[in-house]
Amino acid sequence: MQWRRAAERGKADHGWLQSWHSFSFAGYYDPAFMGFGPLRVINEDIIAPGAGFATHGHRDMEIVTWMLSGQLNHQDSMGHQASLRPGELQYMSAGSGVEHSEYNGSTTAPAHLLQIWIEPWVRGEAPRYQQTHVDAAALAQGWVLLLSPDGALGSISIKQDARVYALRLSGEQRGMVPAGCRRYLHLVRGLLRANGQPMQAGDALMLDPGDVLMLDQAEQAEVLRFDLP
């Protein structure tokens, strides 16, 4: 089990964009944190009102956006135009190549989001886009499967043997991360204790297959869990 504390992440201040990098990205480089298995990027971004990323390209990467607050407007070369709001998950398989732009849809409020990149198990396939709403009540009842290789339980199907779950805990609620494969646990927001150790927003844990984790004493906590090959 290895900790990755929020304060240890890379930080980029572009004025219109504040970004924290869990793994090496752009101008931030740490050879000890190049990714975790096929999980390559977790960036926490805060985009200023009216600002955003102009049209740019990607290929051969599974790109996931988890919206925390505000609004993000998306447009891509596949013909999709969409607005992403809290509680929504966006998936774009870049495949053989896609161009897109992302802008804060508000002129008054910042947009706060996580962008996640997962390396695919196959390259050069046709790009694909999907967006879904995640029920808040379900997140408070237990782990909700968001992404999987086979689209199980209504999740989005991705091109990697990886499963991504989300969970919300508060008060007396408890959660468990069972033993299994390699797992990466990222606390998106709030506070909790993991096996008795405090976690705050932005903290993460890298778990070996035999590790078991008990989550409790949560305060408005939202957790993402990556089960990886």
Side-chain angles (χ1 to χ4, degrees), residues 9-47:
R9 297 177 295 176
K11 175 66 164 59
D13 182 351
H14 299 286
W16 63 274
L17 171 69
Q18 306 295 313
S19 188
W20 293 263
H21 309 317
S22 294
F23 304 110
S24 296
F25 185 86
Y28 167 64
Y29 175 72
D30 184 338
F33 292 97
M34 298 299 296
F36 189 66
L39 178 59
R40 180 61 188 85
V41 168
I42 299 180
N43 288 348
E44 180 180 357
D45 292 341
I46 299 178
I47 304 172

Side-chain angles (χ1 to χ4, degrees), residues 4-10 20-21 44 186-187 200-204:
R4 178 62 160 156
R5 293 294 187 180
E8 299 168 349
R9 297 177 295 176
W20 293 263
H21 309 317
E44 180 180 357
H186 183 92
L187 184 57
Q200 63 180 3
D203 284 352

Side-chain angles (χ1 to χ4, degrees), residues 20-229:
W20 293 263
H21 309 317
S22 294
F23 304 110
S24 296
F25 185 86
Y28 167 64
Y29 175 72
D30 184 338
F33 292 97
M34 298 299 296
F36 189 66
L39 178 59
R40 180 61 188 85
V41 168
I42 299 180
N43 288 348
E44 180 180 357
D45 292 341
I46 299 178
I47 304 172
F53 300 92
T55 301
H56 58 286
H58 297 282
R59 65 180 301 124
D60 293 324
M61 193 65 70
E62 306 290 272
I63 300 171
V64 179
T65 302
W66 181 242
M67 203 69 193
L68 303 181
S69 64
Q71 176 182 337
L72 189 71
N73 291 344
H74 165 96
Q75 185 170 349
D76 65 45
S77 55
M78 294 179 281
H80 300 106
Q81 296 187 47
S83 181
L84 191 65
R85 293 179 171 84
E88 293 183 318
L89 181 75
Q90 180 194 78
Y91 164 72
M92 188 172 67
S93 182
S96 58
V98 66
E99 293 189 341
H100 74 138
S101 62
E102 301 163 292
Y103 280 91
N104 186 339
S106 171
T107 58
T108 58
H112 188 191
L113 57 98
L114 289 185
Q115 188 161 105
I116 298 155
W117 294 7
I118 299 173
E119 295 175 348
W121 59 19
V122 61
R123 297 178 179 272
E125 294 197 344
R128 184 162 61 92
Y129 178 92
Q130 192 171 343
Q131 184 172 326
T132 188
H133 178 78
V134 182
D135 182 62
L139 291 173
Q141 297 301 313
W143 292 107
V144 173
L145 183 61
L146 304 178
L147 304 120
S148 69
D150 54 4
L153 303 175
S155 61
I156 293 176
S157 176
I158 63 171
K159 297 172 183 174
Q160 180 53 263
D161 186 19
R163 290 163 178 81
V164 182
Y165 298 84
L167 173 69
R168 288 181 180 170
L169 293 174
S170 195
E172 298 301 315
Q173 291 178 298
R174 307 178 81 188
M176 189 182 76
V177 180
C181 55
R182 288 191 301 174
R183 288 139 298 149
Y184 190 92
L185 197 79
H186 183 92
L187 184 57
V188 179
R189 51 188 160 194
L191 302 168
L192 56 73
R193 295 179 72 87
N195 283 0
Q197 297 298 311
M199 291 186 74
Q200 63 180 3
D203 284 352
L205 276 167
M206 288 164 273
L207 304 176
D208 295 324
D211 293 334
V212 176
L213 206 60
M214 181 60 68
L215 309 176
D216 60 11
Q217 297 188 33
E219 298 179 23
Q220 304 300 318
E222 182 173 286
V223 187
L224 288 179
R225 176 181 128 208
F226 302 82
D227 288 11
L228 303 164

